[in-house]
Amino acid sequence: MDGIRIVGGAPLSGTIRVSGAKNAALPILCATLLSDGESLVRNVPRLRDIDTAAQLLRTLGRDVHAEPPQVRVGGGAVTPEAPYELVKQMRASVLVLGPLTARYGRARVSLPGGCQIGTRPIDQHLKGLEALGARIHLESGYVVAESGRLVGAEVVFDMPTVTGTENLMMAAALARGRSTLVNCAREPEVVEVARVLNKMGARVSGAGTDVIHVDGVDELAPFDHAIISDRIEAGTYMVAAAAAGGDVRIDNVPVEDLEALIAKLRGAGVILEPDGNGVRIVRRDGLRSVDVMTSPHPGFPTDMQAQFMVLMCLAEGTSRISETVFENRFMHVPELVRMGAEIEVQGHTAFVRHVQRLDGASVMATDLRASASLVIAGLVAHGETLVRRVYHLDRGYEHMEEKLAAVGARIERVRGVSP
Ligand code: UD1
Protein backbone atom coordinates (compact mmCIF):
# COMPACT_ATOMS: atom_id res chain seq x y z
CA MET A 1 0.00 0.00 0.00
CA ASP A 2 1.24 3.53 -0.75
CA GLY A 3 2.25 6.07 1.87
CA ILE A 4 3.40 9.69 1.73
CA ARG A 5 6.69 10.58 3.41
CA ILE A 6 7.26 14.21 4.34
CA VAL A 7 10.23 15.92 5.96
CA GLY A 8 8.71 19.04 7.49
CA GLY A 9 9.96 22.58 7.82
CA ALA A 10 10.49 23.64 4.21
CA PRO A 11 8.76 26.94 3.32
CA LEU A 12 6.81 26.79 0.07
CA SER A 13 7.41 28.97 -2.94
CA GLY A 14 6.10 28.85 -6.50
CA THR A 15 2.80 28.13 -8.22
CA ILE A 16 0.23 25.37 -7.69
CA ARG A 17 -2.45 24.77 -10.31
CA VAL A 18 -5.86 23.61 -9.12
CA SER A 19 -7.59 20.77 -11.02
CA GLY A 20 -11.24 20.32 -11.94
CA ALA A 21 -13.77 19.85 -9.14
CA LYS A 22 -14.30 16.23 -8.12
CA ASN A 23 -17.69 16.98 -6.58
CA ALA A 24 -18.89 18.60 -9.81
CA ALA A 25 -17.39 15.97 -12.12
CA LEU A 26 -19.11 13.06 -10.32
CA PRO A 27 -22.74 14.24 -10.70
CA ILE A 28 -22.02 15.50 -14.22
CA LEU A 29 -20.71 12.10 -15.28
CA CYS A 30 -23.92 10.62 -13.87
CA ALA A 31 -25.97 13.20 -15.80
CA THR A 32 -24.73 11.61 -19.05
CA LEU A 33 -27.21 8.80 -18.27
CA LEU A 34 -30.07 11.21 -18.95
CA SER A 35 -29.43 11.25 -22.71
CA ASP A 36 -28.30 9.04 -25.58
CA GLY A 37 -25.35 9.93 -27.76
CA GLU A 38 -21.84 10.90 -26.75
CA SER A 39 -21.10 13.52 -24.10
CA LEU A 40 -17.68 15.04 -23.53
CA VAL A 41 -16.65 16.16 -20.05
CA ARG A 42 -13.45 18.25 -19.90
CA ASN A 43 -11.21 19.47 -17.07
CA VAL A 44 -11.91 16.23 -15.19
CA PRO A 45 -9.38 15.54 -12.40
CA ARG A 46 -7.30 12.35 -12.46
CA LEU A 47 -8.63 10.68 -9.31
CA ARG A 48 -9.64 7.32 -7.98
CA ASP A 49 -13.25 8.50 -7.53
CA ILE A 50 -13.36 9.40 -11.24
CA ASP A 51 -12.08 5.90 -12.12
CA THR A 52 -14.82 4.47 -9.91
CA ALA A 53 -17.47 6.63 -11.61
CA ALA A 54 -16.19 5.55 -15.06
CA GLN A 55 -16.31 1.92 -13.96
CA LEU A 56 -19.84 2.41 -12.64
CA LEU A 57 -21.03 3.88 -15.96
CA ARG A 58 -19.42 0.96 -17.82
CA THR A 59 -21.14 -1.52 -15.50
CA LEU A 60 -24.41 0.21 -16.31
CA GLY A 61 -23.70 -0.45 -20.01
CA ARG A 62 -22.20 2.85 -21.19
CA ASP A 63 -19.15 3.14 -23.38
CA VAL A 64 -16.63 5.24 -21.42
CA HIS A 65 -13.26 6.58 -22.59
CA ALA A 66 -11.71 8.05 -19.50
CA GLU A 67 -8.49 9.89 -20.23
CA PRO A 68 -8.58 12.77 -17.76
CA PRO A 69 -8.74 15.67 -18.22
CA GLN A 70 -11.21 14.38 -20.83
CA VAL A 71 -13.88 11.78 -20.34
CA ARG A 72 -16.18 10.69 -23.19
CA VAL A 73 -19.34 8.84 -22.32
CA GLY A 74 -21.20 7.19 -25.17
CA GLY A 75 -24.82 6.14 -25.33
CA GLY A 76 -25.85 2.52 -25.20
CA ALA A 77 -28.16 0.12 -23.50
CA VAL A 78 -28.33 0.38 -19.76
CA THR A 79 -28.67 -2.30 -17.11
CA PRO A 80 -29.86 -0.06 -14.28
CA GLU A 81 -28.01 -1.72 -11.43
CA ALA A 82 -25.17 -0.17 -9.37
CA PRO A 83 -23.49 -3.04 -7.50
CA TYR A 84 -22.22 -2.96 -3.93
CA GLU A 85 -18.58 -3.48 -5.02
CA LEU A 86 -18.57 -0.05 -6.68
CA VAL A 87 -20.95 1.86 -4.43
CA LYS A 88 -19.02 0.85 -1.29
CA GLN A 89 -15.90 2.49 -2.77
CA MET A 90 -17.68 5.76 -3.40
CA ARG A 91 -20.78 7.03 -1.71
CA ALA A 92 -21.45 9.50 -4.55
CA SER A 93 -22.45 6.48 -6.69
CA VAL A 94 -25.93 7.15 -5.32
CA LEU A 95 -26.02 9.96 -7.92
CA VAL A 96 -27.05 7.42 -10.57
CA LEU A 97 -30.34 6.82 -8.74
CA GLY A 98 -32.12 9.97 -9.99
CA PRO A 99 -31.01 9.72 -13.64
CA LEU A 100 -31.71 5.96 -13.91
CA THR A 101 -35.18 6.24 -12.38
CA ALA A 102 -36.11 9.23 -14.55
CA ARG A 103 -34.74 7.84 -17.81
CA TYR A 104 -35.27 4.07 -17.50
CA GLY A 105 -38.07 3.78 -14.96
CA ARG A 106 -36.02 1.43 -12.81
CA ALA A 107 -32.89 1.59 -10.66
CA ARG A 108 -31.29 -0.89 -8.30
CA VAL A 109 -28.54 0.84 -6.36
CA SER A 110 -26.62 -0.58 -3.43
CA LEU A 111 -26.79 1.41 -0.22
CA PRO A 112 -23.61 3.51 -0.07
CA GLY A 113 -20.36 3.19 1.85
CA GLY A 114 -17.62 5.79 1.26
CA CYS A 115 -16.05 8.10 3.86
CA GLN A 116 -16.59 6.91 7.40
CA ILE A 117 -17.93 10.22 8.66
CA GLY A 118 -21.12 9.49 10.48
CA THR A 119 -24.13 7.58 9.31
CA ARG A 120 -24.80 9.68 6.18
CA PRO A 121 -28.27 8.41 5.26
CA ILE A 122 -29.92 8.95 1.84
CA ASP A 123 -33.48 9.26 3.12
CA GLN A 124 -33.88 12.72 1.53
CA HIS A 125 -32.97 11.37 -1.93
CA LEU A 126 -35.56 8.60 -1.53
CA LYS A 127 -38.25 10.87 -0.12
CA GLY A 128 -37.77 13.24 -3.07
CA LEU A 129 -37.98 10.52 -5.69
CA GLU A 130 -41.12 9.15 -4.04
CA ALA A 131 -42.68 12.62 -4.21
CA LEU A 132 -42.04 12.53 -7.99
CA GLY A 133 -43.93 9.24 -8.19
CA ALA A 134 -41.24 6.55 -7.84
CA ARG A 135 -42.06 3.45 -5.82
CA ILE A 136 -39.14 2.61 -3.58
CA HIS A 137 -38.29 -0.41 -1.50
CA LEU A 138 -35.17 -1.89 0.03
CA GLU A 139 -34.07 -5.44 -0.74
CA SER A 140 -30.87 -7.14 0.44
CA GLY A 141 -28.92 -3.91 0.93
CA TYR A 142 -30.16 -2.40 -2.31
CA VAL A 143 -32.52 0.50 -2.98
CA VAL A 144 -34.94 -0.40 -5.75
CA ALA A 145 -36.83 2.43 -7.45
CA GLU A 146 -39.54 1.81 -10.04
CA SER A 147 -41.71 4.26 -11.89
CA GLY A 148 -43.50 5.19 -15.04
CA ARG A 149 -42.66 8.70 -16.18
CA LEU A 150 -41.94 10.80 -13.12
CA VAL A 151 -44.36 13.62 -12.38
CA GLY A 152 -43.27 17.06 -11.18
CA ALA A 153 -44.00 17.81 -7.51
CA GLU A 154 -42.89 19.89 -4.56
CA VAL A 155 -40.03 18.43 -2.53
CA VAL A 156 -39.07 20.03 0.78
CA PHE A 157 -35.70 18.77 2.02
CA ASP A 158 -35.38 18.41 5.80
CA MET A 159 -31.80 19.69 5.52
CA PRO A 160 -29.77 21.01 2.60
CA THR A 161 -28.14 17.99 0.98
CA VAL A 162 -25.70 18.46 -1.90
CA THR A 163 -26.01 15.12 -3.69
CA GLY A 164 -29.70 14.93 -2.72
CA THR A 165 -30.39 18.26 -4.45
CA GLU A 166 -28.38 17.11 -7.50
CA ASN A 167 -30.18 13.75 -7.70
CA LEU A 168 -33.56 15.44 -7.56
CA MET A 169 -32.68 18.12 -10.13
CA MET A 170 -31.56 15.38 -12.53
CA ALA A 171 -34.70 13.30 -11.95
CA ALA A 172 -37.06 16.28 -12.22
CA ALA A 173 -35.43 17.36 -15.50
CA LEU A 174 -37.23 14.49 -17.29
CA ALA A 175 -40.44 14.52 -15.22
CA ARG A 176 -43.78 15.63 -16.59
CA GLY A 177 -44.55 19.17 -15.40
CA ARG A 178 -42.95 21.47 -12.84
CA SER A 179 -41.02 20.46 -9.74
CA THR A 180 -40.20 22.85 -6.93
CA LEU A 181 -37.32 21.84 -4.69
CA VAL A 182 -37.26 23.68 -1.37
CA ASN A 183 -34.41 24.02 1.17
CA CYS A 184 -31.86 23.06 -1.47
CA ALA A 185 -28.10 22.97 -1.04
CA ARG A 186 -26.54 26.12 -2.52
CA GLU A 187 -23.05 24.74 -3.20
CA PRO A 188 -21.29 25.85 -6.42
CA GLU A 189 -21.33 22.21 -7.57
CA VAL A 190 -25.15 22.25 -7.50
CA VAL A 191 -25.07 25.36 -9.71
CA GLU A 192 -22.64 23.58 -12.05
CA VAL A 193 -24.95 20.56 -12.40
CA ALA A 194 -27.86 22.89 -13.20
CA ARG A 195 -25.69 24.59 -15.83
CA VAL A 196 -24.99 21.24 -17.51
CA LEU A 197 -28.64 20.15 -17.33
CA ASN A 198 -29.65 23.39 -19.05
CA LYS A 199 -27.00 22.76 -21.75
CA MET A 200 -28.72 19.39 -22.27
CA GLY A 201 -32.03 21.17 -22.85
CA ALA A 202 -33.45 21.04 -19.32
CA ARG A 203 -35.23 23.99 -17.77
CA VAL A 204 -33.74 24.48 -14.31
CA SER A 205 -33.82 27.83 -12.53
CA GLY A 206 -32.86 29.05 -9.08
CA ALA A 207 -29.78 26.83 -8.54
CA GLY A 208 -27.54 28.56 -6.02
CA THR A 209 -30.58 29.67 -3.99
CA ASP A 210 -32.58 27.48 -1.64
CA VAL A 211 -35.55 27.10 -4.03
CA ILE A 212 -35.01 25.45 -7.40
CA HIS A 213 -37.68 25.13 -10.10
CA VAL A 214 -37.40 22.44 -12.73
CA ASP A 215 -39.79 22.34 -15.70
CA GLY A 216 -39.54 18.81 -17.03
CA VAL A 217 -38.86 18.11 -20.71
CA ASP A 218 -39.44 14.97 -22.82
CA GLU A 219 -35.81 14.32 -23.66
CA LEU A 220 -32.32 15.65 -23.08
CA ALA A 221 -29.35 15.91 -25.45
CA PRO A 222 -25.69 14.97 -24.91
CA PHE A 223 -23.34 17.81 -23.94
CA ASP A 224 -19.78 19.12 -24.00
CA HIS A 225 -18.70 20.79 -20.78
CA ALA A 226 -15.51 21.85 -18.97
CA ILE A 227 -15.77 21.41 -15.18
CA ILE A 228 -15.20 24.34 -12.77
CA SER A 229 -12.05 24.21 -10.65
CA ASP A 230 -12.05 22.48 -7.30
CA ARG A 231 -12.66 24.95 -4.48
CA ILE A 232 -11.75 22.41 -1.81
CA GLU A 233 -8.47 21.51 -3.48
CA ALA A 234 -7.75 25.24 -3.82
CA GLY A 235 -8.64 25.81 -0.17
CA THR A 236 -6.45 22.91 0.93
CA TYR A 237 -3.40 24.41 -0.81
CA MET A 238 -4.24 27.85 0.58
CA VAL A 239 -4.16 26.40 4.10
CA ALA A 240 -1.02 24.37 3.33
CA ALA A 241 0.78 27.52 2.12
CA ALA A 242 -0.40 29.47 5.16
CA ALA A 243 0.74 26.73 7.54
CA ALA A 244 4.12 26.04 5.93
CA GLY A 245 4.88 29.71 5.28
CA GLY A 246 6.57 31.19 2.24
CA ASP A 247 5.09 32.79 -0.84
CA VAL A 248 2.78 30.69 -3.01
CA ARG A 249 0.56 31.50 -5.96
CA ILE A 250 -2.41 29.22 -6.46
CA ASP A 251 -3.84 29.21 -9.97
CA ASN A 252 -7.46 28.57 -11.01
CA VAL A 253 -9.04 29.53 -7.69
CA PRO A 254 -12.79 30.18 -7.64
CA VAL A 255 -12.28 33.02 -5.14
CA GLU A 256 -15.97 33.96 -4.89
CA ASP A 257 -16.80 30.39 -3.78
CA LEU A 258 -14.24 30.49 -0.97
CA GLU A 259 -15.24 33.65 0.84
CA ALA A 260 -15.87 32.01 4.22
CA LEU A 261 -12.45 30.33 4.22
CA ILE A 262 -10.65 33.44 2.95
CA ALA A 263 -12.22 35.56 5.71
CA LYS A 264 -11.00 33.10 8.36
CA LEU A 265 -7.51 32.93 6.84
CA ARG A 266 -7.29 36.74 6.86
CA GLY A 267 -8.60 36.78 10.42
CA ALA A 268 -5.76 34.44 11.35
CA GLY A 269 -3.20 36.87 9.92
CA VAL A 270 -2.57 35.29 6.52
CA ILE A 271 -2.02 37.70 3.62
CA LEU A 272 -4.11 36.77 0.59
CA GLU A 273 -3.96 38.78 -2.59
CA PRO A 274 -6.20 37.98 -5.57
CA ASP A 275 -3.90 37.69 -8.59
CA GLY A 276 -5.54 37.19 -11.99
CA ASN A 277 -7.50 33.95 -11.78
CA GLY A 278 -5.55 32.92 -8.72
CA VAL A 279 -4.50 33.95 -5.25
CA ARG A 280 -1.10 34.77 -3.81
CA ILE A 281 -0.57 33.66 -0.21
CA VAL A 282 2.13 35.04 2.01
CA ARG A 283 2.66 34.50 5.70
CA ARG A 284 5.23 36.66 7.42
CA ASP A 285 4.06 37.03 11.02
CA GLY A 286 2.70 34.59 13.55
CA LEU A 287 -0.84 33.28 13.31
CA ARG A 288 -3.79 34.27 15.50
CA SER A 289 -6.49 31.81 16.49
CA VAL A 290 -9.99 32.23 15.07
CA ASP A 291 -13.17 30.26 15.79
CA VAL A 292 -14.82 28.30 13.02
CA MET A 293 -18.22 26.68 12.64
CA THR A 294 -18.91 24.56 9.58
CA SER A 295 -22.22 24.99 7.78
CA PRO A 296 -23.70 24.48 4.33
CA HIS A 297 -22.53 26.86 1.58
CA PRO A 298 -21.91 29.80 1.72
CA GLY A 299 -20.75 28.99 5.26
CA PHE A 300 -17.39 27.50 6.18
CA PRO A 301 -17.13 24.15 4.32
CA THR A 302 -17.01 20.97 6.37
CA ASP A 303 -14.57 19.69 3.73
CA MET A 304 -12.03 22.31 4.96
CA GLN A 305 -12.44 21.72 8.69
CA ALA A 306 -9.67 19.14 9.19
CA GLN A 307 -7.08 21.12 7.20
CA PHE A 308 -7.92 24.39 8.99
CA MET A 309 -7.52 22.68 12.35
CA VAL A 310 -3.83 22.09 11.61
CA LEU A 311 -3.37 25.81 10.98
CA MET A 312 -5.04 26.57 14.29
CA CYS A 313 -2.59 24.28 16.13
CA LEU A 314 0.07 26.82 15.16
CA ALA A 315 -1.98 29.94 16.01
CA GLU A 316 -1.57 31.99 19.18
CA GLY A 317 -4.49 31.38 21.59
CA THR A 318 -7.24 28.75 21.58
CA SER A 319 -9.47 28.13 18.58
CA ARG A 320 -12.93 26.63 18.85
CA ILE A 321 -13.86 24.54 15.81
CA SER A 322 -17.45 23.31 15.63
CA GLU A 323 -18.62 20.72 13.14
CA THR A 324 -22.34 21.03 12.45
CA VAL A 325 -22.70 19.22 9.09
CA PHE A 326 -21.46 15.72 9.90
CA GLU A 327 -21.26 13.72 13.10
CA ASN A 328 -18.01 11.90 13.75
CA ARG A 329 -15.82 14.14 11.60
CA PHE A 330 -12.96 14.61 14.07
CA MET A 331 -11.14 11.38 13.26
CA HIS A 332 -7.99 13.33 12.39
CA VAL A 333 -7.78 14.64 15.98
CA PRO A 334 -6.14 11.60 17.63
CA GLU A 335 -3.54 11.48 14.85
CA LEU A 336 -2.78 15.21 15.20
CA VAL A 337 -2.47 14.70 18.96
CA ARG A 338 0.12 12.00 18.28
CA MET A 339 2.07 14.70 16.42
CA GLY A 340 2.02 16.93 19.49
CA ALA A 341 -1.20 18.90 18.94
CA GLU A 342 -3.27 19.92 21.97
CA ILE A 343 -6.86 19.36 20.96
CA GLU A 344 -9.79 18.46 23.16
CA VAL A 345 -13.08 17.36 21.66
CA GLN A 346 -16.33 18.06 23.48
CA GLY A 347 -19.33 16.87 21.48
CA HIS A 348 -19.34 18.69 18.15
CA THR A 349 -16.61 21.15 19.14
CA ALA A 350 -12.83 20.81 19.16
CA PHE A 351 -10.79 23.20 21.32
CA VAL A 352 -7.44 23.66 19.63
CA ARG A 353 -4.65 25.13 21.75
CA HIS A 354 -1.50 26.72 20.39
CA VAL A 355 1.59 24.52 20.43
CA GLN A 356 5.16 25.64 19.68
CA ARG A 357 5.66 22.84 17.21
CA LEU A 358 4.30 19.62 15.79
CA ASP A 359 6.54 16.57 15.58
CA GLY A 360 6.73 14.13 12.70
CA ALA A 361 5.15 10.72 13.31
CA SER A 362 3.73 7.73 11.51
CA VAL A 363 0.03 8.52 11.15
CA MET A 364 -2.95 6.93 9.49
CA ALA A 365 -5.40 8.62 7.15
CA THR A 366 -9.03 7.80 7.92
CA ASP A 367 -10.93 9.73 5.27
CA LEU A 368 -10.25 12.03 2.36
CA ARG A 369 -10.03 15.42 4.07
CA ALA A 370 -8.45 13.97 7.23
CA SER A 371 -5.67 12.66 4.98
CA ALA A 372 -5.09 16.15 3.60
CA SER A 373 -4.87 17.55 7.12
CA LEU A 374 -2.18 15.00 8.03
CA VAL A 375 -0.15 15.95 4.96
CA ILE A 376 -0.34 19.62 5.98
CA ALA A 377 0.68 18.68 9.52
CA GLY A 378 3.64 16.79 8.02
CA LEU A 379 4.69 19.89 6.07
CA VAL A 380 5.06 21.95 9.24
CA ALA A 381 6.22 19.24 11.67
CA HIS A 382 9.80 18.78 12.87
CA GLY A 383 11.29 15.66 11.38
CA GLU A 384 9.70 12.95 9.28
CA THR A 385 6.02 12.11 8.92
CA LEU A 386 4.68 9.04 7.18
CA VAL A 387 1.01 9.27 6.21
CA ARG A 388 -0.35 5.77 5.66
CA ARG A 389 -3.48 4.62 3.83
CA VAL A 390 -3.18 7.36 1.22
CA TYR A 391 -5.75 5.67 -0.99
CA HIS A 392 -8.16 8.05 0.75
CA LEU A 393 -6.08 10.98 -0.50
CA ASP A 394 -5.99 9.58 -4.02
CA ARG A 395 -9.79 9.57 -4.08
CA GLY A 396 -9.87 13.36 -4.08
CA TYR A 397 -6.50 15.04 -4.72
CA GLU A 398 -4.75 14.84 -8.09
CA HIS A 399 -1.02 14.15 -7.57
CA MET A 400 -0.91 16.03 -4.29
CA GLU A 401 2.67 15.03 -3.53
CA GLU A 402 3.85 16.18 -6.97
CA LYS A 403 2.09 19.53 -6.70
CA LEU A 404 3.58 20.17 -3.24
CA ALA A 405 7.07 18.95 -4.21
CA ALA A 406 7.03 21.40 -7.13
CA VAL A 407 6.75 24.31 -4.66
CA GLY A 408 9.58 23.10 -2.45
CA ALA A 409 8.00 20.62 -0.04
CA ARG A 410 10.16 17.61 0.83
CA ILE A 411 7.49 15.04 0.09
CA GLU A 412 7.42 11.74 -1.79
CA ARG A 413 5.21 8.74 -2.35
CA VAL A 414 6.55 5.49 -0.98
CA ARG A 415 5.32 2.09 -2.11
CA GLY A 416 4.79 -1.00 -0.02
CA VAL A 417 3.98 0.68 3.31
CA SER A 418 2.17 -1.52 5.83
CA PRO A 419 -1.45 -0.40 6.29
C1 UD1 B 1 -21.39 16.33 -0.40
C2 UD1 B 1 -19.94 16.28 -0.82
C3 UD1 B 1 -19.03 16.13 0.40
C4 UD1 B 1 -19.34 17.22 1.43
C5 UD1 B 1 -20.83 17.29 1.73
C6 UD1 B 1 -21.21 18.47 2.61
C7 UD1 B 1 -20.13 15.24 -3.01
C8 UD1 B 1 -19.86 14.07 -3.87
N1 UD1 B 1 -19.77 15.14 -1.72
O1 UD1 B 1 -21.68 15.08 0.24
O2 UD1 B 1 -17.68 16.24 -0.03
O3 UD1 B 1 -18.64 16.94 2.63
O4 UD1 B 1 -21.58 17.41 0.51
O5 UD1 B 1 -20.79 19.66 2.04
O6 UD1 B 1 -20.62 16.26 -3.48
N2 UD1 B 1 -28.26 13.89 5.07
C9 UD1 B 1 -29.32 13.15 5.55
N3 UD1 B 1 -30.13 12.50 4.66
C10 UD1 B 1 -29.91 12.53 3.33
C11 UD1 B 1 -28.82 13.28 2.84
C12 UD1 B 1 -28.01 13.96 3.74
O7 UD1 B 1 -29.56 13.09 6.77
O8 UD1 B 1 -30.66 11.92 2.57
C13 UD1 B 1 -27.39 14.63 6.02
C14 UD1 B 1 -25.97 14.09 6.06
O9 UD1 B 1 -25.86 12.99 6.94
C15 UD1 B 1 -25.21 15.30 6.52
C16 UD1 B 1 -25.95 16.46 5.85
O10 UD1 B 1 -27.24 15.95 5.53
O11 UD1 B 1 -25.30 15.44 7.91
C17 UD1 B 1 -25.30 17.00 4.58
O12 UD1 B 1 -24.96 15.92 3.74
P1 UD1 B 1 -24.94 16.03 2.16
O13 UD1 B 1 -24.95 17.45 1.73
O14 UD1 B 1 -25.98 15.14 1.60
O15 UD1 B 1 -23.52 15.41 1.80
P2 UD1 B 1 -23.19 14.64 0.48
O16 UD1 B 1 -24.05 15.15 -0.62
O17 UD1 B 1 -23.15 13.19 0.74
Side-chain angles (χ1 to χ4, degrees):
M1 210 171 270
D2 288 2
I4 301 271
R5 181 163 40 218
I6 308 155
V7 178
L12 306 183
S13 145
T15 301
I16 299 178
R17 196 168 185 283
V18 175
S19 302
K22 168 179 88 77
N23 286 352
L26 295 175
I28 286 168
L29 287 170
C30 296
T32 62
L33 293 167
L34 291 164
S35 74
D36 283 330
E38 185 179 273
S39 290
L40 174 61
V41 193
R42 290 177 285 117
N43 199 32
V44 177
R46 201 177 294 271
L47 300 173
R48 207 163 59 93
D49 271 6
I50 297 297
D51 296 340
T52 307
Q55 194 52 42
L56 178 58
L57 291 172
R58 282 186 200 111
T59 305
L60 294 171
R62 291 284 166 137
D63 199 11
V64 183
H65 295 274
E67 285 168 5
Q70 294 207 345
V71 178
R72 281 177 198 280
V73 184
V78 162
T79 314
E81 171 153 332
Y84 176 66
E85 292 64 41
L86 288 171
V87 182
K88 75 170 184 206
Q89 293 177 37
M90 185 181 71
R91 187 181 184 282
S93 307
V94 72
L95 283 162
V96 299
L97 189 59
L100 289 177
T101 310
R103 176 89 170 74
Y104 300 96
R106 182 174 161 81
R108 192 167 182 272
V109 176
S110 173
L111 285 166
C115 279
Q116 299 303 309
I117 47 176
T119 47
R120 300 185 80 169
I122 56 163
D123 56 304
Q124 300 300 308
H125 304 232
L126 305 185
K127 185 182 89 169
L129 287 172
E130 273 177 336
L132 299 192
R135 295 172 302 281
I136 293 192
H137 66 276
L138 301 181
E139 72 181 25
S140 318
Y142 279 72
V143 173
V144 180
E146 285 162 322
S147 68
R149 184 167 181 195
L150 295 174
V151 180
E154 181 177 81
V155 175
V156 182
F157 293 109
D158 291 342
M159 77 287 293
T161 151
V162 176
T163 48
T165 303
E166 292 163 350
N167 237 338
L168 264 293
M169 279 194 308
M170 292 191 282
L174 282 178
R176 190 176 342 108
R178 167 167 270 219
S179 296
T180 302
L181 313 180
V182 178
N183 197 22
C184 293
R186 292 179 285 166
E187 269 67 1
E189 295 78 17
V190 171
V191 179
E192 179 78 341
V193 172
R195 204 174 284 132
V196 167
L197 289 171
N198 286 338
K199 267 190 183 177
M200 298 175 80
R203 291 193 286 155
V204 181
S205 61
T209 74
D210 53 5
V211 180
I212 297 178
H213 295 288
V214 185
D215 288 301
V217 295
D218 292 341
E219 57 180 19
L220 293 167
F223 61 90
D224 174 343
H225 186 75
I227 304 280
I228 49 169
S229 44
D230 194 314
R231 66 194 166 98
I232 302 300
E233 189 197 12
T236 299
Y237 290 126
M238 284 158 66
V239 171
D247 186 344
V248 177
R249 186 177 189 283
I250 303 176
D251 244 355
N252 287 345
V253 179
V255 174
E256 61 289 354
D257 295 335
L258 281 164
E259 277 169 1
L261 173 67
I262 289 174
K264 290 296 175 185
L265 283 169
R266 288 197 168 127
V270 178
I271 300 167
L272 277 118
E273 293 164 2
D275 179 6
N277 72 336
V279 168
R280 184 175 163 222
I281 295 171
V282 186
R283 178 162 72 80
R284 293 197 188 90
D285 304 324
L287 294 160
R288 296 184 293 274
S289 64
V290 286
D291 293 342
V292 163
M293 182 185 282
T294 66
S295 58
H297 194 76
F300 190 96
T302 172
D303 283 352
M304 285 303 307
Q305 178 258 108
Q307 302 91 311
F308 200 82
M309 190 179 286
V310 177
L311 193 70
M312 289 299 96
C313 291
L314 310 170
E316 210 56 57
T318 298
S319 162
R320 200 165 46 180
I321 299 186
S322 304
E323 173 59 57
T324 73
V325 179
F326 288 113
E327 41 181 295
N328 197 17
R329 207 178 193 178
F330 284 139
M331 287 180 305
H332 44 288
V333 170
E335 299 299 287
L336 292 176
V337 168
R338 293 183 55 242
M339 296 179 75
E342 286 185 21
I343 306 168
E344 191 190 329
V345 175
Q346 288 177 18
H348 291 295
T349 301
F351 295 86
V352 186
R353 272 184 290 280
H354 173 245
V355 288
Q356 289 300 333
R357 58 182 245 186
L358 294 174
D359 289 310
S362 178
V363 288
M364 195 174 73
T366 45
D367 73 44
L368 171 54
R369 307 303 169 186
S371 315
S373 80
L374 297 177
V375 171
I376 296 172
L379 293 177
V380 299
H382 283 243
E384 186 176 301
T385 295
L386 179 65
V387 182
R388 291 175 294 140
R389 296 202 182 169
V390 291
Y391 55 85
H392 290 294
L393 200 67
D394 294 336
R395 283 189 43 215
Y397 290 93
E398 182 174 271
H399 304 312
M400 186 185 234
E401 73 280 10
E402 289 174 21
K403 289 189 184 189
L404 286 170
V407 292
R410 289 170 294 191
I411 180 169
E412 61 178 356
R413 181 174 290 257
V414 284
R415 313 271 174 201
V417 173
S418 69

Short mmCIF file of all heavy atoms in Angstrom, two decimals, residues 1-2 363-364 388-389 391 416-419:
data_model
loop_
_atom_site.label_atom_id
_atom_site.label_comp_id
_atom_site.label_asym_id
_atom_site.label_seq_id
_atom_site.Cartn_x
_atom_site.Cartn_y
_atom_site.Cartn_z
N MET A 1 0.84 -1.20 0.00
CA MET A 1 0.00 0.00 0.00
C MET A 1 0.88 1.26 0.00
O MET A 1 1.95 1.24 0.58
CB MET A 1 -0.84 -0.02 1.28
CG MET A 1 -2.16 0.66 1.13
SD MET A 1 -3.19 0.38 2.56
CE MET A 1 -4.07 -1.11 2.11
N ASP A 2 0.41 2.31 -0.67
CA ASP A 2 1.24 3.53 -0.75
C ASP A 2 1.15 4.36 0.53
O ASP A 2 0.13 4.36 1.22
CB ASP A 2 0.78 4.42 -1.91
CG ASP A 2 1.13 3.83 -3.26
OD1 ASP A 2 1.70 2.73 -3.28
OD2 ASP A 2 0.84 4.49 -4.28
N VAL A 363 1.46 8.30 10.89
CA VAL A 363 0.03 8.52 11.15
C VAL A 363 -0.81 7.84 10.08
O VAL A 363 -0.31 7.50 9.00
CB VAL A 363 -0.31 10.04 11.19
CG1 VAL A 363 0.24 10.68 12.44
CG2 VAL A 363 0.20 10.74 9.94
N MET A 364 -2.10 7.69 10.38
CA MET A 364 -2.95 6.93 9.49
C MET A 364 -4.11 7.79 9.02
O MET A 364 -4.82 8.38 9.84
CB MET A 364 -3.49 5.72 10.24
CG MET A 364 -4.08 4.70 9.34
SD MET A 364 -4.52 3.26 10.30
CE MET A 364 -5.95 3.86 11.15
N ARG A 388 0.00 7.07 6.23
CA ARG A 388 -0.35 5.77 5.66
C ARG A 388 -1.80 5.78 5.16
O ARG A 388 -2.56 6.68 5.45
CB ARG A 388 -0.14 4.69 6.72
CG ARG A 388 1.36 4.49 7.02
CD ARG A 388 1.59 3.52 8.14
NE ARG A 388 1.08 4.05 9.39
CZ ARG A 388 0.43 3.33 10.30
NH1 ARG A 388 0.22 2.05 10.11
NH2 ARG A 388 0.00 3.90 11.41
N ARG A 389 -2.13 4.75 4.42
CA ARG A 389 -3.48 4.62 3.83
C ARG A 389 -3.83 5.80 2.93
O ARG A 389 -4.93 6.37 3.04
CB ARG A 389 -4.55 4.46 4.90
CG ARG A 389 -4.38 3.21 5.70
CD ARG A 389 -5.66 2.79 6.37
NE ARG A 389 -5.42 1.61 7.16
CZ ARG A 389 -6.27 1.10 8.03
NH1 ARG A 389 -7.43 1.67 8.21
NH2 ARG A 389 -5.99 0.02 8.70
N TYR A 391 -4.73 5.87 0.05
CA TYR A 391 -5.75 5.67 -0.99
C TYR A 391 -6.92 6.62 -0.75
O TYR A 391 -7.62 6.99 -1.69
CB TYR A 391 -6.22 4.21 -1.06
CG TYR A 391 -6.72 3.60 0.21
CD1 TYR A 391 -8.04 3.77 0.62
CD2 TYR A 391 -5.88 2.85 1.02
CE1 TYR A 391 -8.50 3.21 1.79
CE2 TYR A 391 -6.33 2.28 2.20
CZ TYR A 391 -7.65 2.47 2.59
OH TYR A 391 -8.10 1.91 3.76
N GLY A 416 4.59 0.16 -0.89
CA GLY A 416 4.79 -1.00 -0.02
C GLY A 416 4.82 -0.68 1.47
O GLY A 416 5.52 -1.33 2.23
N VAL A 417 4.05 0.34 1.89
CA VAL A 417 3.98 0.68 3.31
C VAL A 417 2.91 -0.19 3.96
O VAL A 417 1.84 -0.40 3.38
CB VAL A 417 3.60 2.17 3.46
CG1 VAL A 417 3.36 2.54 4.89
CG2 VAL A 417 4.68 3.05 2.85
N SER A 418 3.18 -0.69 5.17
CA SER A 418 2.17 -1.52 5.83
C SER A 418 0.96 -0.66 6.17
O SER A 418 1.11 0.50 6.53
CB SER A 418 2.74 -2.14 7.09
OG SER A 418 2.94 -1.12 8.03
N PRO A 419 -0.25 -1.21 6.03
CA PRO A 419 -1.45 -0.40 6.29
C PRO A 419 -1.56 -0.09 7.77
O PRO A 419 -1.92 0.84 8.26
CB PRO A 419 -2.60 -1.27 5.84
CG PRO A 419 -2.08 -2.65 5.84
CD PRO A 419 -0.60 -2.57 5.63
#
